[in-house]
Amino acid sequence: MFFGSFALILVLLYFNYIDIKKRHYTQLKHYSKVVSRAIHSDLLQNEMILTVIGKQLLDNDNYKDKQKVQKLFDELLKQNPSYIGFGLADIDGNLMATSSNIKVSKDYNFLKNKKTVDDFKRVLKSKKMIVARTYFFKNIDEWIIPLRKAILDENGNILAVMITGLRNDKNRNIIEGLGVSNDQSIAIIKDYNYEHKMYRQYVSQIGDISNDIMYNTVIPNSLIESIKRTLKIRYDLSLDSLRENGQTVSIKITTSFNKSLIAGMTYDKDYKLWIFVQASGSTIVSEFFNNLFIYFALFIASFIVFYFLFKKIALSDRKQQEELIFQAQHDSLTKLPNRTFMYAHIEKWKKRHDTEYFVLYLDLDNFKNINDKFGHTVGDKILVEVAHRLEMFFYEDDMLIRQGGDEFIVLKECIDANNIEDNIESLISLISQVYHIDAKEFRIGVSVGIARYPIDAKETEELLSIADTAMYEAKKRKNSYCFFSETMRHENIVKTDIEQELRSAIEKDELWMVYQPQIKADGSLYGVEALVRWENEKLGFVGPDKFIPVAEETGIIRELGDFIINTALSEVATIQAQLNLEFSLAINISGVQLMEVNFLETFLKQIENSNFNRASVTLEITESVSIEKMDDVLNVLYDLQEHNIKISLDDFGTGYSSLSILRELPIDELKIDKSFIDKILYDDNEKALVQSIINIGKNFNMKTLAEGVESEKQVQNLKEANCDIFQGYYYSKPLTKEHLLEYLK
Ligand code: C2E
Ligand code: CA
Ligand code: CA
């Protein structure tokens, strides 16, 4: 913009300069024309006066009577004070008479005087008035412009010459009122082209140059030549053609006094005078510089304005941008930086802590429960408070990020590696302290997973991922922390492999069901538990305890669950039909499946499709999964019970179920975990524990099932303890449908 407008201004200035120049030249030309007309008419008037006087003198040969002539002259002078006086000369140049104010010697002869001889000769040859050379007239002590006019008789013979003069007064501008301004001047140059001599007749402003030099020096030839050249170039005219046609032109000249001038010039053919109206060449320049100054002042002023304007715009732009960046990089609820912030700043942060640092992955325990029970407003307030406590806890240079939901990430500088465990413990106890929200008290736990740079991993993504894994490990205990370990890494890798292969397992027909018989205390068949099996090309045989959790985490369990239910129902239904034998079918159901929106509906339809007796279906739910989300599943369990579907609490004793929960749940069967059964033979405490579980079951009107029975002794012990049903290798390993058919037969 700066350079663009600078160039524009230069162009404008250029045209401005041309315009100023043109205007000055045109003006001078115009003035020259006006002035030359005024001078011409002035001279014409003088000529007429002289002609009239001459006529009077001719009458009765008056001019011969000196007394009469003088009297006439004096009278005339009184009426026309601009004349310096009058004189009359005979044709031989002798002064015959003068007005009485002129005192010259009686024998003055114009033809004998060097200064007057040329002009006098011209008068004798001309019928017109002659303007003679300006000279200093000692008699009256003034510079004068002499005028001469021949007096002719009727036949055209010259009888005498009238002589007068005009004051060449430098203070008197003879063309006053013609609009010529102070910085312009007028010069009248007398030109006899036949003599090649030019003299100044009148110059309105002579400055410090003496009249003598001004009027008594001939105009140098070099100046005339230069004017001729200029005329040739500008107008393609010669001086002679100008003399001929009286055209007005404008030129630039350097005077003999070395002044640079611009001028309009016109030739008066009658009186042989050049009329110049001239101005100093510097007037153009100074006017131009005035404009230049104004232009540049405006230019600079507008740039100052622009500068501040742009600065202001840029500033508010930057502010807005910073605001946007802040918004994009911060969480709106807690005002903590978010993941975007982390990715934007992590490289710099890492440079500052390149030797060692920790990545903490924090996840609040049971936060979902608070949200569900008390609403999101309370949940939000707790999150804000948690964020506040975290901010207080960590150092300025630790990078605290809200990862989303109830999860936070901290990049923690390593100040004292030995103290990190104490540090995390005090963090956990700080977060676990009571929260006062809306006049209520809340407690919340936090699980922390920790990854160490550079021991555990070097890449940020991996550090985050393994800290997350460690957090899941900590979650199993709740309100605790866990460092990432190599075992976890291995499990992680296995998990990833399992996930990848499991996605296509059903399609590839790699899954099948096996059935493990369940036997009543009297030795008759109670039913079977359906267990899934998977053999993969790459991973070989993978146990359900390995891939079921992966399926649950990744959501594959939905598809897998459908496969299990459909296969188990149809296969067992077929066997039952073949043998005409009805027995119970227990299907393991994951908590994730149970919480599917249409679980019950779909399940009922699946039972119906396979022609299965609903009353013979048992769903096994794992204690550890179901208890945590008890509120969610409780309704489903009641619905299932309503539809005559039995529920068995699997792995009983390994979870945290309290007796009060047992009373609330619509459970038909307690499945005592294998770990208890294993110990009853050699541990009396364990035996007593199993006994009391069986008693509790009886109290709540539930059947008790012992799983993992491997020996007869165990069976005997359990029978004594009044256990209802037995399942385990002692009776049979899980069997394929073909083997089950054989077994049942
Ligand atoms: P679970 O439901 O407690 O199943 C019992 C597990 O104990 C089965 O292992 C079974 O083969 C094993 N078992 C039975 N009797 C004995 C015994 O006398 N000695 C020993 N050592 N083991 C015995 P499996 O089939 O590997 O299943 C492991 C777990 O995987 C199951 O525990 C269950 O939680 C899950 N699972 C298996 N199949 C399914 C399924 O179809 N759906 C779901 N959701 N989970 C399943
Ligand atoms: Ca089971
Ligand atoms: Ca079990």
Side-chain angles (χ1 to χ4, degrees):
M1 213 170 142
F2 182 88
F3 290 111
S5 45
F6 189 74
L8 185 74
I9 278 209
L10 288 185
V11 172
L12 283 176
L13 279 170
Y14 171 74
F15 283 112
N16 190 252
Y17 178 76
I18 303 269
D19 187 56
I20 293 171
K21 206 165 131 180
K22 199 173 152 194
R23 187 154 41 76
H24 277 266
Y25 277 114
T26 317
Q27 202 182 40
L28 289 171
K29 238 162 93 172
H30 170 73
Y31 284 149
S32 160
K33 202 174 266 172
V34 172
V35 168
S36 78
R37 278 195 195 134
I39 287 170
H40 185 83
S41 66
D42 196 50
L43 291 171
L44 207 61
Q45 202 186 343
N46 288 315
E47 184 170 354
M48 260 150 66
I49 290 168
L50 293 183
T51 310
V52 170
I53 300 165
K55 284 259 164 65
Q56 280 183 16
L57 292 175
L58 275 180
D59 281 352
N60 311 319
D61 287 343
N62 272 347
Y63 67 96
K64 287 174 182 162
D65 182 344
K66 283 181 187 173
Q67 298 296 316
K68 261 190 184 168
V69 172
Q70 191 167 53
K71 209 174 143 204
L72 184 72
F73 282 174
D74 286 347
E75 222 161 282
L76 219 61
L77 200 58
K78 224 184 271 170
Q79 284 161 25
N80 301 291
S82 62
Y83 295 108
I84 50 118
F86 291 98
L88 189 69
D90 63 19
I91 55 170
D92 296 321
N94 297 311
L95 189 63
M96 296 194 299
T98 63
S99 52
S100 53
N101 65 326
I102 308 286
K103 305 275 191 295
V104 266
S105 61
K106 295 287 177 274
D107 55 357
Y108 185 86
N109 187 304
F110 286 95
L111 287 173
K112 285 177 182 155
N113 194 312
K114 214 174 89 188
K115 277 185 191 164
T116 56
V117 60
D118 291 343
D119 287 322
F120 204 83
K121 278 180 183 165
R122 278 175 63 213
V123 173
L124 295 179
K125 280 182 209 150
S126 168
K127 288 170 186 168
K128 292 281 302 173
M129 183 178 79
I130 295 293
V131 182
R133 255 182 66 189
T134 296
Y135 75 100
F136 185 70
F137 190 33
K138 276 189 202 130
N139 199 277
I140 55 162
D141 199 26
E142 258 190 75
W143 286 85
I144 63 159
I145 300 167
L147 301 175
R148 321 239 190 272
K149 173 82 176 73
I151 299 168
L152 305 162
D153 64 10
E154 282 131 31
N155 306 321
N157 299 316
I158 296 173
L159 302 174
V161 175
M162 273 292 301
I163 292 159
T164 186
L166 298 168
R167 287 170 211 280
N168 185 348
D169 190 335
K170 64 179 168 186
N171 295 318
R172 177 181 153 254
N173 193 340
I174 55 163
I175 36 315
E176 254 169 32
L178 290 176
V180 178
S181 64
N182 281 340
D183 53 4
Q184 290 167 344
S185 63
I186 289 159
I188 301 170
I189 309 293
K190 184 170 151 60
D191 172 23
Y192 315 105
N193 62 340
Y194 50 89
E195 286 172 19
H196 303 295
K197 272 185 184 174
M198 290 194 196
Y199 284 95
R200 294 178 191 85
Q201 192 80 59
Y202 167 79
V203 176
S204 68
Q205 289 174 13
I206 67 168
D208 46 11
I209 296 153
S210 70
N211 278 324
D212 190 41
I213 291 172
M214 187 59 88
Y215 297 117
N216 284 339
T217 42
V218 70
I219 288 175
N221 236 339
S222 59
L223 177 56
I224 296 167
E225 286 308 315
S226 98
I227 290 173
K228 279 182 181 168
R229 270 200 305 277
T230 313
L231 282 176
K232 183 79 195 155
I233 293 164
R234 272 178 72 109
Y235 298 96
D236 195 21
L237 285 172
S238 67
L239 216 48
D240 280 337
S241 53
L242 266 191
R243 283 184 184 114
E244 207 49 50
N245 61 22
Q247 190 187 339
T248 303
V249 294
S250 56
I251 52 161
K252 189 174 163 188
I253 40 176
T254 306
T255 67
S256 42
F257 309 111
N258 224 350
K259 259 179 151 178
S260 167
L261 294 177
I262 50 173
M265 65 187 273
T266 315
Y267 188 66
D268 189 319
K269 212 168 154 184
D270 290 344
Y271 300 108
K272 308 222 180 320
L273 297 174
W274 288 103
I275 287 96
F276 285 87
V277 175
Q278 53 200 21
S280 161
S282 64
T283 53
I284 291 178
V285 177
S286 72
E287 187 178 336
F288 175 70
F289 273 102
N290 270 349
N291 284 2
L292 188 91
F293 177 77
I294 292 166
Y295 273 62
F296 272 98
L298 281 175
F299 178 71
I300 286 165
S302 56
F303 262 93
I304 291 170
V305 170
F306 276 136
Y307 175 78
F308 284 107
L309 206 72
F310 279 121
K311 204 169 164 173
K312 215 182 141 147
I313 291 169
L315 206 74
S316 76
D317 245 29
R318 201 185 314 152
K319 255 190 199 161
Q320 211 173 349
Q321 214 171 356
E322 278 168 5
E323 180 93 350
L324 282 177
I325 289 175
F326 185 87
Q327 274 173 19
Q329 297 190 340
H330 288 77
D331 163 47
S332 59
L333 177 67
T334 60
K335 302 286 178 282
L336 286 183
N338 59 18
R339 268 183 98 92
T340 319
F341 178 91
M342 182 176 73
Y343 288 120
H345 294 88
I346 196 154
E347 288 309 319
K348 249 202 226 158
W349 191 91
K350 275 161 76 177
K351 270 191 196 125
R352 275 185 274 133
H353 307 274
D354 56 347
T355 46
E356 197 177 358
Y357 62 87
F358 297 103
V359 176
L360 312 186
Y361 209 108
L362 282 70
D363 189 300
L364 302 182
D365 297 334
N366 299 332
F367 181 72
K368 191 178 176 293
N369 284 353
I370 291 183
N371 253 349
D372 291 351
K373 275 194 191 133
F374 302 98
H376 284 266
T377 336
V378 172
D380 283 356
K381 283 178 183 171
I382 290 180
L383 278 178
V384 171
E385 175 62 22
V386 168
H388 182 67
R389 289 186 193 181
L390 289 173
E391 269 180 314
M392 304 276 286
F393 184 81
F394 288 103
Y395 294 116
E396 184 83 2
D397 211 25
D398 295 335
M399 198 191 282
L400 172 59
I401 300 291
R402 184 180 174 202
Q403 144 81 3
D406 58 349
E407 293 175 17
F408 300 87
I409 293 169
V410 185
L411 303 189
K412 185 168 168 42
E413 57 179 336
C414 177
I415 290 172
D416 184 359
N418 298 327
N419 265 343
I420 181 76
E421 294 185 20
D422 291 345
N423 199 254
I424 304 278
E425 268 164 28
S426 53
L427 167 69
I428 291 173
S429 77
L430 176 71
I431 299 299
S432 333
Q433 270 163 35
V434 71
Y435 293 79
H436 297 275
I437 308 283
D438 298 341
K440 278 200 199 90
E441 288 191 353
F442 295 89
R443 275 180 197 280
I444 200 161
V446 62
S447 300
V448 186
I450 304 149
R452 288 155 300 189
Y453 172 90
I455 309 164
D456 294 334
K458 289 204 170 68
E459 296 306 313
T460 312
E461 272 312 315
E462 204 189 342
L463 280 165
L464 287 172
S465 150
I466 64 178
D468 188 27
T469 307
M471 187 275 288
Y472 269 103
E473 220 28 62
K475 237 255 126 110
K476 288 180 183 164
R477 296 191 295 275
K478 297 266 159 61
N479 215 25
S480 63
Y481 65 92
C482 181
F483 282 89
F484 179 75
S485 68
E486 280 311 308
T487 339
M488 285 180 208
R489 192 195 305 280
H490 180 70
E491 277 170 9
N492 245 0
I493 295 168
V494 172
K495 256 189 194 171
T496 332
D497 283 349
I498 288 176
E499 184 190 339
Q500 216 143 38
E501 294 301 320
L502 195 57
R503 286 195 186 277
S504 53
I506 297 175
E507 225 171 86
K508 288 185 189 159
D509 214 12
E510 292 175 351
L511 292 159
W512 71 96
M513 298 306 297
V514 291
Y515 305 93
Q516 189 172 32
Q518 299 170 327
I519 310 295
K520 284 190 239 173
D522 63 3
S524 65
L525 178 74
Y526 171 74
V528 293
E529 178 186 3
L531 296 159
V532 69
R533 292 292 175 261
W534 178 34
E535 188 164 7
N536 175 260
E537 240 189 324
K538 185 176 148 193
L539 303 172
F541 186 86
V542 185
D545 48 345
K546 287 271 180 304
F547 70 84
I548 293 290
V550 177
E552 284 178 340
E553 261 174 53
T554 54
I556 301 175
I557 193 69
R558 290 188 195 102
E559 208 190 333
L560 181 60
D562 279 343
F563 167 83
I564 289 167
I565 291 167
N566 285 328
T567 314
L569 283 171
S570 76
E571 284 180 356
V572 173
T574 312
I575 291 173
Q576 288 186 347
Q578 272 176 338
L579 299 177
N580 197 17
L581 178 71
E582 201 166 295
F583 52 88
S584 157
L585 168 64
I587 301 173
N588 293 286
I589 292 290
S590 126
V592 182
Q593 269 175 291
L594 211 56
M595 283 188 298
E596 287 278 293
V597 189
N598 289 327
F599 173 74
L600 180 69
E601 222 170 78
T602 324
F603 187 51
L604 290 176
K605 208 169 268 167
Q606 284 164 331
I607 295 172
E608 205 175 315
N609 287 346
S610 57
N611 280 324
F612 213 92
N613 179 10
R614 254 192 240 162
S616 307
V617 177
T618 304
L619 288 187
E620 290 190 12
I621 55 170
T622 314
E623 186 195 19
S624 53
V625 176
S626 54
I627 297 300
E628 187 178 310
K629 294 169 181 163
M630 202 45 77
D631 288 332
D632 297 323
V633 287
L634 205 57
N635 288 331
V636 187
L637 296 181
Y638 277 114
D639 284 346
L640 284 167
Q641 196 182 41
E642 204 129 289
H643 286 90
N644 258 336
I645 294 162
K646 291 193 187 67
I647 292 153
S648 169
L649 196 55
D650 206 350
D651 304 337
F652 187 72
T654 57
Y656 304 92
S657 355
S658 63
L659 290 178
S660 64
I661 283 180
L662 267 189
R663 193 180 310 146
E664 270 179 50
L665 290 174
I667 287 171
D668 303 280
E669 182 181 274
L670 282 185
K671 219 169 163 181
I672 309 163
D673 194 67
K674 182 176 178 294
S675 54
F676 299 101
I677 310 300
D678 282 346
K679 294 172 197 159
I680 50 171
L681 290 184
Y682 49 87
D683 190 331
D684 284 345
N685 283 337
E686 214 70 17
K687 193 178 166 182
L689 192 68
V690 170
Q691 181 66 66
S692 43
I693 292 175
I694 294 171
N695 292 344
I696 290 166
K698 293 266 175 263
N699 274 337
F700 288 128
N701 230 349
M702 298 167 183
K703 281 194 197 103
T704 47
L705 189 153
E707 68 175 343
V709 256
E710 290 179 339
S711 67
E712 193 175 354
K713 267 214 166 130
Q714 285 173 326
V715 178
Q716 262 172 12
N717 271 288
L718 288 163
K719 274 184 183 167
E720 279 162 23
N722 237 342
C723 185
D724 301 311
I725 306 160
F726 307 88
Q727 177 184 351
Y729 292 176
Y730 174 69
Y731 294 101
S732 169
K733 286 197 170 181
L735 304 165
T736 60
K737 61 177 185 207
E738 293 85 9
H739 286 126
L740 177 65
L741 188 66
E742 289 303 310
Y743 178 86
L744 291 179
K745 271 179 183 167

